[in-house]
Amino acid sequence: MAHHPDHDPGTGQYAYEDGNALAGPLSEILTVDPTSALGRCTGCGSRWPLAHLHVYAQAPGYVGRCPDCDQVILRLVRSPDKAWLDLRGTVALTFRLGP
Amino acid sequence: MRHVVNNGKECTFGERRHGMAIVSRGFRGRPGDTHHKLPPGQYETTDFPVLSAGPTPRVDRDGWELTVRTETGARHSWNWAQLMALPSQTPTVDLHCVTKWSKFATEWQGVSLDVLLEDVETAAEFALVHSYGGYTTNLPLEDLLDGQAWIAYRHDGEDLAPEHGGPARLLVPHLYLWKSAKWVRGIQLLLEDEPGFWESAGYHDYGDPWREQRYQGD
């Protein structure tokens, strides 16, 4: 992972993980592999697979941010009996499916 | 100094319910609540976990500003020197995070919202708090008043560190900690409630830890 300002040299830890951290919590909702789905940032227009998002998992929910401009792409909150998925930061999600 | 007070829910807000009025509730000087009691579903921790929804903003005090904007568009703002010139309090309060940790008797220094909102005329009943970095959270205006909320800039005798919301954060300890917005930069006063960052994604609109209001519908 490239250097970024949220790397804490004291603990050697990063403030965020990559989008693969979303594989488990998102696959509960989406039946296809969610991290390979392609999105496009509504802020800066960059395109990426969800696996490339910067994911802040140490918050009350998961927050996925654009790797290029840090805009919030998705928020995922799980309660004991519900999940909320907000995808307002991506223009669309493209899933590769079988014919 | 440790202040043992009850949980603040006994406060009355009758004065403000009568429409357009000056927000000021006077300076009651109750410097905070600590119970050493766990709300339902919480456990005690002695460290101070850092939870963050994004990169930590590095806000220079020279460029720092806090703005209160009313429903009519009236704007009140304070730079760092102006904030420091206001009378401060040193509340000792318990913190309750929705991720289930609680931390007892944390020591803070900050300016009461009663002081900041003293000369603000508004009929608003709701507040949307904005942070550097884009975070928002909403709460009823009355929960910011009557000695229940501060703009805090010192913790444990030290300047507030950026990872805990420095240079200044909101401190509203009677609600879950996601309401105590780190890196606070503004308070928007509104006639209608408007959900903030977590409140629009499943978290409870009010977030009272004693009623375990974690998620919508709780």
Side-chain angles (χ1 to χ4, degrees):
Chain A
M1 192 177 280
H3 173 79
H4 64 84
D6 268 13
H7 178 246
D8 180 344
T11 64
Q13 293 189 329
Y14 293 94
Y16 62 80
E17 304 165 43
D18 71 31
N20 290 300
L22 295 169
L26 265 186
S27 61
E28 192 185 11
I29 303 169
L30 305 171
T31 56
V32 294
D33 175 8
T35 55
S36 65
L38 295 170
R40 185 177 182 192
C41 180
T42 59
C44 72
S46 72
R47 299 168 192 268
W48 20 253
L50 285 189
H52 288 186
L53 296 185
H54 293 176
V55 176
Y56 292 79
Q58 302 303 316
Y62 290 88
V63 178
R65 290 179 176 266
C66 175
D68 295 316
C69 76
D70 265 338
Q71 174 178 273
V72 176
I73 304 300
L74 71 81
R75 295 173 297 165
L76 175 57
V77 171
R78 182 70 162 90
S79 78
D81 62 351
K82 281 192 202 79
W84 287 263
L85 176 59
D86 179 327
L87 286 165
R88 73 180 73 177
T90 182
V91 175
L93 280 182
T94 308
F95 297 89
R96 191 174 297 280
L97 301 172
Chain B
M1 190 188 225
R2 181 75 38 90
H3 300 269
V4 180
V5 195
N6 44 29
N7 75 7
K9 301 314 291 178
E10 86 288 3
C11 295
T12 57
F13 303 98
E15 219 172 290
R16 245 190 40 76
R17 292 205 177 106
H18 299 298
M20 180 70 80
I22 292 176
V23 166
S24 171
R25 308 304 320 273
F27 199 74
R28 306 265 171 92
R30 189 187 63 198
D33 301 344
T34 181
H35 300 122
H36 265 267
K37 208 176 139 200
L38 284 175
Q42 298 290 109
Y43 65 87
E44 183 183 359
T45 184
T46 52
D47 55 8
F48 196 169
V50 173
L51 278 74
S52 195
T56 299
R58 308 284 160 174
V59 184
D60 189 355
R61 289 177 176 179
D62 292 340
W64 182 90
E65 188 177 60
L66 176 73
T67 301
V68 171
R69 198 180 298 270
T70 74
E71 73 282 8
T72 63
R75 194 173 169 278
H76 305 254
S77 63
W78 297 265
N79 62 26
W80 191 259
Q82 290 167 327
L83 183 77
M84 292 301 106
L86 294 172
S88 68
Q89 293 182 323
T90 52
T92 298
V93 298
D94 300 339
L95 306 179
H96 307 295
C97 178
V98 73
T99 60
K100 301 199 170 179
W101 58 264
S102 290
K103 184 174 169 64
F104 293 137
T106 61
E107 296 179 0
W108 300 85
Q109 183 176 351
V111 176
S112 168
L113 264 295
D114 293 317
V115 172
L116 291 162
L117 297 177
E118 193 167 9
D119 298 321
V120 175
E121 281 197 46
T122 181
E125 299 208 357
F126 301 97
L128 184 63
V129 180
H130 296 260
S131 296
Y132 290 97
Y135 182 77
T136 56
T137 188
N138 61 303
L139 66 174
L141 178 55
E142 65 183 17
D143 286 83
L144 290 177
L145 301 173
D146 259 354
Q148 298 185 98
W150 296 266
I151 300 297
Y153 50 83
R154 286 177 74 80
H155 165 63
D156 245 355
E158 310 264 355
D159 289 344
L160 189 56
E163 63 266 28
H164 289 305
R169 73 180 297 166
L170 181 65
L171 179 65
V172 201
H174 69 287
L175 300 177
Y176 281 126
L177 200 56
W178 90 77
K179 299 284 186 180
S180 292
K182 298 196 270 192
W183 315 297
V184 65
R185 72 171 171 84
I187 300 174
Q188 191 180 355
L189 302 180
L190 298 164
L191 299 174
E192 306 281 339
D193 195 15
E194 188 176 314
F197 185 86
W198 287 120
E199 295 85 356
S200 59
Y203 277 93
H204 197 276
D205 196 58
Y206 185 62
D208 180 350
W210 299 96
R211 289 186 277 166
E212 212 172 351
Q213 295 173 331
R214 300 181 194 274
Y215 303 103
Q216 287 169 22
D218 285 350

